[in-house]
Every structure is written in structure tokens, then in C-alpha cells.
């Protein structure tokens, strides 16, 4: 937050120092940098007048890496050393990369199983380092254009980025020597670019179809405050996928063998991509494919044909659109505007289908390639303090619930999904056993009731809990999600203040498809989950009762109970022990109740004994006076 600026009477605001700030759209396919000049946001061009910097980096043995257009041009001749779409690898583990269907032409070094490194002629590089090269190129461009160093930047990320992906983005910025003012969700940046925050209120759908990802967000503007009501999307669906469909069509139509090499595939892909982009303006394009030992294939692709090819992929974006509406609790009629973001929304077919879905024409007046960078620049200008009184507050939501493991392998949700961030929420937990001095805290993400069905984010231990009887210790677990979506969890024992803390930067990212699956599972398994929870809860209760009974029998069983009473209790407890292992909540509950009945008298005698013991040496009046 900017400090309040005090200007002397008579001093015009124009004389105040203008801080250099920029907004950076670090895209999968293209990246941009923008700044606010004379009150207007504008993207900055390179020496050749290009605004879009292809998100490509080419490494070579002795020279420093090439970025942007120069690197992208090398992608078909040097695919192994040219890194494209590195954003897809950010914050991902090797396992996620192997699972994904991305057609990646480079080799990974798997020396450390969690952080992937790409083998290049210039050495082994991590995705963070590759992103840092792109950011460095944009930083240089901005500083050359503006004539001084940037004081701060706002970098945008997809709304769906998880902790690890956000952290990786921040690390890349740091590596590039940038001061990150904050990360901003791409849809929120787009809404700001259209100045939607100056309206009095509204509900907006931000449809972002880029090169590698699809994101849909529902924002609500309320008294100048943007709240992200819901987000959904598909991080493995973008213009690249349209390109692949067209490339495959091209291979088939030209009669080329499917087993073509990487280089030729890239060449064809390049041609397919160009055809797609040109068909946004014209009705037909001509194509030609070189085939060894055969004449060149020549053919055409019409917009109608293109539309048929890409239609299924565009329709795939509508399911997340539907889900976002449902999660936001709104209907299509509630949507006041649809903002189109990302190069792929240039395709007329995309505009058509989106318009049909919402029953309204989407906003397309701002260049969909630049809109995110423009919004980020406006936000950076505010955060750096050039515009302190027109501050806007931006709220985002968490995509999946966050919670901790409790006894019986159950998950207690601490922050529910779609809660707006930043947020801090605390919950109290207690010990299970008498004299327990340590507790393990297991942080989970997901909607299901059982630990095994959720995603494990972190585990840590709280020590130095003073020994007390079970259930007496109070451990406060605080979840804090900051404005960038990063989670930190603190556990504190409330009497001694013993504390333990963890920042969650999971090494494995989460695919949107996985989020979707987790959400679907939570719905389809809802009733079974409730039953499973009931069973687990009863099992935990059974364990607690049996544990306490064993302890009581050990100390007082022989002195306070007759042989007959002892055997009755033993019978009831063995019934419970058996019931505990069968997965029926009602049976366990009944067995607990029966054992309870059988031990009532024993408990009363123990109580008498302990009161008697406590009273020894004290007069009754002494206690009365105290009360
Ligand atoms: P990202 O945010 O993933 O970096 P962009 O918003 O820059 O992506 O969009 C890049 C995608 O937009 C590419 O797949 C590109 O082919 C596509 N694209 C660019 N121009 C057009 C166009 N005129 N018609 C259709 N697609 C286009
Ligand atoms: Mg984008």
C-alpha cells in the first residue's frame, strides 16, 4: 500500500515525483510489458516495433540466450534448445510433466525428482530461469524506453495458478531483478483495462482463451471493489491445441506419413498456426507441404472447414463457463458484460459461440493480446503510489478448500473453496491422548471428507505441548492466504504459546483437469463420503472410549470392581472392539452406548474415589469459601 503523499499548498501534483512502474503479462505464448504514461496505459514495443514478445528462449553453448522472436525462429531448426510455453512447466514437478499430454521436444534432467531441469546446449535450466530470461528482456525493453530503472512491477498469473506456480513466478521475477509489487490475476487485470471498476456495480465474465490455457472468471463489482466470485478453466487448452488439430489435418490431407520428425512437425505447426490466424480475417488460405520424393502438396483451407475442425475444442471451453456460473451462484442473465481476452478470441467462431452461450455480444474493443498487460500497468501505477487516492481493492478466491487432518483420517475444512482472499481463519483442535506433547499437522486441499481423497500440501509437527488429559490442550491452527494466494499455516498451543509454522509451496502443481476431477468427485461421492465420515467418527470415538477404559481398568479395575462386573465390562468392550472394525456407524454407536451403560457404575465409583482423595486434608467449608 502506498504511503499518503502530502503536497504543500500551491504545489501541483505534476511536480510530484513520478515513479516508474510497469505491468507484465507473462504469457504462455506471448509476453508483454506496459506502463502508464500521461495517465494512459500503453504497451511498449521493441526496437522493431513489435509489442508481443514470443515467450521463447533459445540456449546455445557460448552465447547468452536468445529470447522472443529470434528464439522462436530457431524453434524448428533447434527444437531441443528452444524452450516454448515454459509457463506450463512453472511450479510443476517431474511427475506432472510426465503425466501431461504436452508435446515437448526437449529433454529433462531428472537428478532431483521434484524440480525439473531442461537439458540445453547452454546448460541445464529450470523453468524459473527460462521465465526469468523472458522477464529480463521485458525489463530491458521498458527501461530503455522509459530511460530509467523500474521501481516496481505487477506480474499477472492465471487465476487458477496454485501456490507453487505463483511462487515460481515470483522467483523468476526476483531472478530478473524485478521488484514485484504483487501478482495479479489475469482476468482481474482485463476488467481493470476496460475500466469496469468505474461502473457502480455489475457482474462480469472474463473469457480468456490464449495460446496454452483457457480461463473463465466471474467477477462482481460492488462499490468499486472487484470480487472474484468464481474461477474455472482448463490449463491444457489453448490456441496451441487448435494448431495441433489443424496440423494433424494438414498431415492427413497432404498424405504425409504420421511418423514425421520433430522439425517437420514444427514447420507444419507453424503453417497451421498462420493459416488459423489469417482465417480470422479472410475466408480461405492456400497451403503447401513439401514431401520428400514426391511433388509438393498444395491445397486450401476455408474458414468453414477450420470452424469444423476447431469447433469441438471451442465447445470444450463452455463446460468451465457453466461451472463458473454455478459456482458464482449466478445465471447467464446476471452477466452484464463478457470481456474477451487472449489471441484465440480473435477467431470469429470463438466470438460466435461465446456470444451464443451468454446470449450477448462480448466486449472486443481492446486488443485481446494487450488487455492483460494494460490492466496490470494500471494496477502497478496505483500500487507504486502514482495515484494513491484512487486505490482499488482486488479480491480473488481460492479454487479448492483448505483444511487439516483430524483423527480417523478425516479432513476438517478450515477455509472453504471460493472464499475471497486475502483471508485468515483459525480453528481450535485438541489432543487425543492423555499426556500428549506433540501433534502432527497435515495440511490438505480438496473437497472430499477423507484424507486419502484429498491432496496433501504439507505436514509439520507442533512440539512442547504441556502434558494434559486428553481433550484439555487447546491448539489453535491458523490458515492465512495472502493476496497472492500463498498459504501459510501456524499451529499454536494456547497456554504456553509453543508455535510451529509452515509456508505451503507444494512442489507439485495441480492441473485444472485435476481440480475439475476433485470437484466432480466430491459431488458424486457426497453421500458415500458422509457415511465414511460417520464411520470414521464413530471409530475414533470407539478408540477413545476403549483407550480410556483400558487406562481406568489398569488403575482401578481390581480394586473397584467385582469379578462378575469385570467380565461384563470385558464382554461389552470386546463387542465394541469387533464392531469398531466393521464399517457400520450405527453398530459402532450402539456398542459404544452398551459399553457406556456397563461402565456407568465403574465411572461413578472412580469419581467418588477421586473426590474422596481430593477432599482428604481439606475441610468442606474451605471449598465453599473459594466458590
Ligand atoms: P497467452 O496468453 O497464452 O500467451 P495469447 O493471448 O498471446 O496467449 O494468445 C496466443 C494465441 O492466440 C496463439 O495460439 C495464437 O495463434 C492465437 N491467435 C493470435 N492471433 C490470432 C487470430 N487472429 N486468430 C486466431 N488465433 C489467434
Ligand atoms: Mg494471456
Amino acid at each position: 500500500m502506498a504511503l499518503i503523499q502530502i503536497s504543500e499548498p500551491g504545489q501541483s501534483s505534476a511536480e510530484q515525483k513520478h515513479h516508474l512502474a510497469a505491468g507484465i503479462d507473462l504469457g504462455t505464448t506471448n509476453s508483454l510489458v506496459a506502463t502508464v504514461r500521461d495517465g494512459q496505459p500503453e504497451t511498449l514495443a521493441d526496437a522493431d516495433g513489435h509489442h508481443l514478445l514470443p515467450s521463447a528462449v533459445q540456449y546455445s553453448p557460448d552465447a547468452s540466450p536468445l529470447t522472443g522472436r529470434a528464439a522462436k525462429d530457431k524453434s524448428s531448426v533447434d527444437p531441443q534448445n528452444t524452450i516454448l510455453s515454459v509457463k506450463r512447466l512453472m511450479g510443476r514437478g517431474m511427475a506432472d510433466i510426465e503425466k501431461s499430454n504436452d508435446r515437448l521436444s526437449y529433454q529433462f534432467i531428472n537428478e532431483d525428482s521434484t524440480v525439473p531441469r531442461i537439458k540445453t546446449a547452454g546448460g541445464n535450466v529450470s523453468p524459473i530461469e527460462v521465465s526469468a530470461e523472458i522477464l529480463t528482456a521485458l525489463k530491458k525493453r521498458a527501461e530503455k524506453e522509459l530511460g530509467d530503472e523500474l521501481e516496481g512491477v505487477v506480474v499477472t498469473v492465471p487465476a487458477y495458478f496454485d501456490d507453487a506456480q505463483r511462487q515460481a513466478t515470483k522467483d523468476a521475477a526476483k531472478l530478473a531483478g524485478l521488484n514485484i509489487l504483487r501478482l495479479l490475476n489475469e482476468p482481474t487485470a482485463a476488467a481493470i483495462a476496460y475500466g469496469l471498476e468505474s461502473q457502480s456495480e455489475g457482474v462480469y465474465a472474463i473469457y480468456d482463451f490464449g495460446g496454452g490455457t483457457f480461463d473463465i472468471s466471474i467477477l462482481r463489482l460492488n462499490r468499486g471493489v472487484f470480487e472474484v466470485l468464481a474461477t474455472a478453466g482448463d490449463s491444457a487448452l489453448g490456441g496451441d491445441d487448435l494448431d495441433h488439430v489443424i496440423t494433424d489435418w494438414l498431415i492427413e490431407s497432404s498424405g504425409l506419413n504420421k511418423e514425421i520428425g520433430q522439425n517437420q512437425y514444427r514447420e507444419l505447426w507453424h503453417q497451421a498456426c498462420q493459416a488459423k490466424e489469417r482465417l480470422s480475417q479472410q475466408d480461405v488460405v492456400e497451403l503447401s507441404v513439401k514431401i520428400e520424393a514426391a511433388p509438393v502438396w498444395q491445397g486450401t483451407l476455408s474458414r468453414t472447414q477450420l470452424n469444423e475442425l476447431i469447433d469441438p475444442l471451442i465447445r470444450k471451453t463452455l463446460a468451465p463457463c457453466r461451472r463458473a456460473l454455478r459456482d458464482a451462484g449466478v445465471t447467464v442473465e446476471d452477466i452484464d458484460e463478457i470481456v474477451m481476452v487472449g489471441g484465440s478470441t480473435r477467431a470469429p467462431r470463438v466470438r460466435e459461440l461465446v456470444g451464443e452461450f451468454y446470449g450477448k455480444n462480448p466486449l472486443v474493443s481492446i486488443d485481446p493480446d494487450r488487455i492483460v498487460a494494460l490492466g496490470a500497468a494500471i494496477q502497478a501505477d496505483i500500487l507504486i503510489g502514482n495515484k494513491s487516492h484512487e486505490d482499488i481493492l482486488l479480491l480473488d478466491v481460492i479454487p479448492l478448500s483448505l483444511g487439516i487432518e483430524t483423527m480417523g483420517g478425516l479432513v476438517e475444512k478450515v477455509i472453504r473453496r471460493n472464499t475471497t482472499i486475502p483471508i485468515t481463519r483459525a480453528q481450535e483442535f485438541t489432543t487425543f491422548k492423555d499426556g500428549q506433547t506433540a501433534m502432527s499437522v497435515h495440511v490438505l486441499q480438496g473437497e472430499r471428507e477423507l484424507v486419502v481423497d484429498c491432496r496433501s500440501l504439507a505436514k509439520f509437527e507442533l512440539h512442547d505441548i504441556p502434558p494434559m488429559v486428553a481433550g484439555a490442550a487447546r491448539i489453535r491452527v491458523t490458515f492465512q492466504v495472502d493476496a497472492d494466494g500463498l498459504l501459510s499455516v501456524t499451529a499454536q498451543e494456547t497456554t504456553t504459546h509453543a508455535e510451529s509454522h509452515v509456508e505451503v509451496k507444494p512442489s507439485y502443481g495441480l492441473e485444472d483437469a485435476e481440480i475439475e476431477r476433485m470437484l466432480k468427485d466430491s459431488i458424486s461421492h457426497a453421500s458415500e463420503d458422509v457415511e465414511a465420515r460417520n464411520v470414521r467418527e464413530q471409530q475414533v470415538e470407539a478408540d477413545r472410549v476403549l483407550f480410556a477404559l483400558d487406562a481406568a481398568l489398569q488403575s482401578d479395575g481390581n480394586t473397584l470392581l467385582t469379578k462378575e462386573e469385570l467380565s461384563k465390562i470385558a464382554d461389552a468392550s470386546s463387542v465394541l472392539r469387533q464392531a469398531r472394525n466393521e464399517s457400520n456407524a450405527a453398530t459402532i454407536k450402539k456398542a459404544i452406548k452398551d459399553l457406556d451403560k456397563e461402565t456407568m457404575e465403574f465411572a461413578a465409583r472412580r469419581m467418588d474415589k477421586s473426590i474422596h482423595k481430593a477432599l482428604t486434608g481439606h475441610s468442606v467449608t474451605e471449598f465453599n469459601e473459594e466458590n
Side-chain angles (χ1 to χ4, degrees):
M1 198 58 61
L3 294 172
I4 299 169
Q5 294 183 336
I6 303 167
S7 45
E8 294 295 325
Q11 185 189 6
S12 84
S13 58
E15 281 163 331
Q16 282 175 6
K17 177 164 170 35
H18 180 83
H19 300 277
L20 290 187
I24 293 180
D25 173 3
L26 186 59
T28 312
T29 323
N30 295 302
S31 298
L32 292 103
V33 59
T35 194
V36 173
R37 275 199 281 206
D38 305 323
Q40 284 302 315
E42 54 181 283
T43 54
L44 304 174
D46 64 10
D48 300 325
H50 296 296
H51 290 248
L52 269 64
L53 178 81
S55 304
V57 182
Q58 189 226 1
Y59 290 88
S60 50
D62 304 311
S64 49
L66 287 178
T67 51
R69 217 156 295 272
K72 195 182 169 192
D73 288 344
K74 299 277 184 192
S75 72
S76 44
V77 289
D78 189 20
Q80 295 240 330
N81 298 308
T82 309
I83 319 298
L84 301 173
S85 303
V86 70
K87 191 172 175 179
R88 288 187 180 230
L89 307 177
M90 292 291 272
R92 297 277 197 234
M94 216 38 239
D96 302 299
I97 293 167
E98 279 160 5
K99 257 192 331 212
S100 81
N101 297 324
D102 293 357
R103 301 181 202 204
L104 299 171
S105 58
Y106 18 89
Q107 284 179 345
F108 288 94
I109 300 289
N110 206 0
E111 56 202 7
D112 166 339
S113 62
T114 51
V115 184
R117 293 182 77 79
I118 306 160
K119 190 179 169 182
T120 78
N124 301 337
V125 292
S126 72
I128 291 172
E129 291 168 88
V130 180
S131 289
E133 291 294 342
I134 300 167
L135 289 168
T136 303
L138 293 172
K139 176 177 187 268
K140 279 191 192 150
R141 182 193 292 189
E143 291 180 346
K144 191 167 167 224
E145 176 72 26
L146 302 173
D148 208 345
E149 278 190 17
L150 287 175
E151 285 175 57
V153 293
V154 165
V155 178
T156 58
V157 289
Y160 256 92
F161 257 26
D162 69 10
D163 288 350
Q165 293 165 302
R166 284 168 198 264
Q167 192 57 50
T169 308
K170 281 189 162 181
D171 290 346
K174 224 180 283 165
L175 204 55
L178 289 166
N179 168 34
I180 284 234
L181 298 167
R182 73 165 286 186
L183 297 178
L184 180 64
N185 279 348
E186 288 161 12
T188 312
I192 294 171
Y194 269 109
L196 293 177
E197 79 280 357
S198 63
Q199 315 245 316
S200 57
E201 55 178 30
V203 179
Y204 310 109
I206 318 297
Y207 181 101
D208 182 351
F209 201 16
T213 51
F214 169 66
D215 278 308
I216 178 77
S217 310
I218 310 289
L219 307 186
R220 179 168 51 207
L221 180 70
N222 197 3
R223 277 177 282 159
V225 175
F226 274 117
E227 186 188 350
V228 184
L229 293 181
T231 62
D234 188 338
S235 73
L237 180 64
D240 292 351
D241 301 284
L242 306 190
D243 298 345
H244 289 313
V245 168
I246 304 163
T247 311
D248 290 344
W249 172 87
L250 198 54
I251 292 169
E252 208 177 297
S253 309
S254 64
L256 260 183
N257 185 347
K258 275 234 175 207
E259 307 297 313
I260 54 172
Q262 286 284 1
N263 290 0
Q264 193 172 16
Y265 188 88
R266 284 210 185 205
E267 244 168 62
L268 293 173
W269 174 6
H270 186 66
Q271 212 182 133
C273 180
Q274 274 190 336
K276 173 191 75 177
E277 292 180 8
R278 276 192 284 146
L279 285 173
S280 290
Q281 271 86 46
Q282 60 202 60
D283 293 328
V284 68
V285 289
E286 278 165 20
L287 297 159
S288 79
V289 175
K290 265 188 281 174
I291 303 169
E292 270 174 63
V296 170
W297 174 85
Q298 279 183 323
T300 58
L301 177 67
S302 70
R303 188 188 280 176
T304 317
Q305 276 172 296
L306 171 79
N307 288 351
E308 256 170 50
L309 286 172
I310 63 175
D311 214 74
L313 290 173
I314 303 170
R315 285 186 193 278
K316 252 181 106 174
T317 66
L318 301 180
C321 287
R322 229 167 269 128
R323 194 172 74 236
L325 285 176
R326 197 180 58 223
D327 283 351
V330 298
T331 61
V332 273
E333 290 81 39
D334 296 323
I335 303 292
D336 295 299
E337 300 286 358
I338 306 115
V339 177
M340 293 298 248
V341 184
S344 297
T345 64
R346 284 228 174 75
R349 188 66 186 148
V350 172
R351 295 182 178 182
E352 240 169 72
L353 286 177
V354 171
E356 251 170 49
F357 178 84
Y358 291 101
K360 184 177 281 146
N361 285 334
L363 293 177
V364 292
S365 64
I366 298 181
D367 186 335
D369 285 329
R370 302 189 196 183
I371 182 169
V372 168
L374 295 173
I378 296 170
Q379 182 68 4
D381 197 48
I382 293 163
L383 291 176
I384 204 79
N386 287 337
K387 236 178 160 183
S388 57
H389 29 256
E390 287 169 52
D391 218 331
I392 39 173
L393 188 64
L394 301 169
L395 302 175
D396 294 330
V397 296
I398 55 163
L400 290 169
S401 300
L402 298 165
I404 76 169
E405 173 172 356
T406 60
M407 287 304 295
L410 291 171
V411 181
E412 183 71 28
K413 301 202 173 76
V414 179
I415 302 179
R416 300 232 157 230
R417 68 183 295 255
N418 279 342
T419 301
T420 50
I421 53 171
I423 177 125
T424 302
R425 211 160 263 172
Q427 208 147 308
E428 277 189 358
F429 295 90
T430 189
T431 46
F432 181 74
K433 286 185 183 166
D434 288 347
Q436 187 179 337
T437 58
M439 186 172 177
S440 138
V441 180
H442 186 190
V443 184
L444 296 134
Q445 187 176 37
E447 308 314 305
R448 303 284 301 274
E449 300 284 349
L450 301 184
V451 168
V452 289
D453 297 320
C454 287
R455 176 175 185 247
S456 173
L457 289 183
K459 254 186 202 165
F460 66 101
E461 300 224 319
L462 174 65
H463 294 282
D464 302 327
I465 302 172
M468 291 182 227
V469 292
R474 292 192 7 223
I475 290 117
R476 201 175 164 75
V477 176
T478 309
F479 275 53
Q480 189 168 17
V481 183
D482 72 10
D484 297 326
L486 295 172
L487 168 69
S488 64
V489 180
T490 309
Q492 191 187 50
E493 200 285 316
T494 53
T495 55
T496 61
H497 300 291
E499 193 181 287
S500 225
H501 178 94
V502 72
E503 300 230 342
V504 180
K505 300 171 197 163
S507 53
Y508 290 108
L510 200 55
E511 291 282 345
D512 290 343
E514 212 168 327
I515 293 181
E516 197 173 339
R517 180 186 60 73
M518 287 168 84
L519 291 178
K520 274 194 194 135
D521 282 357
S522 74
I523 296 164
S524 59
H525 295 283
S527 61
E528 164 191 329
D529 272 12
V530 169
E531 175 57 18
R533 172 174 273 273
N534 281 338
V535 170
R536 293 291 176 101
E537 277 173 355
Q538 291 304 326
Q539 284 173 333
V540 169
E541 182 59 10
D543 290 346
R544 196 190 60 75
V545 166
L546 288 168
F547 190 82
L549 178 64
D550 281 347
L553 284 173
Q554 202 133 51
S555 58
D556 296 323
N558 291 327
T559 52
L560 296 180
L561 294 169
T562 65
K563 263 213 160 99
E564 196 189 335
E565 285 166 334
L566 267 173
S567 99
K568 275 190 172 172
I569 289 175
D571 287 348
S573 70
S574 80
V575 169
L576 177 56
R577 255 178 254 274
Q578 196 169 6
R580 189 229 170 270
N581 295 328
E582 288 162 19
S583 300
N584 185 315
T587 318
I588 306 172
K589 202 169 174 180
K590 180 167 180 302
I592 292 174
K593 223 169 145 192
D594 291 347
L595 180 62
D596 226 29
K597 240 191 263 159
E598 215 54 70
T599 56
M600 209 131 71
E601 180 56 29
F602 179 41
R605 284 183 210 159
R606 292 192 79 216
M607 187 84 87
D608 283 350
K609 184 187 153 194
S610 71
I611 290 173
H612 183 77
K613 208 165 143 194
L615 285 176
T616 317
H618 295 277
S619 72
V620 175
T621 47
E622 197 185 326
F623 282 97
N624 286 342
E625 275 159 19
E626 267 181 16
N627 291 337

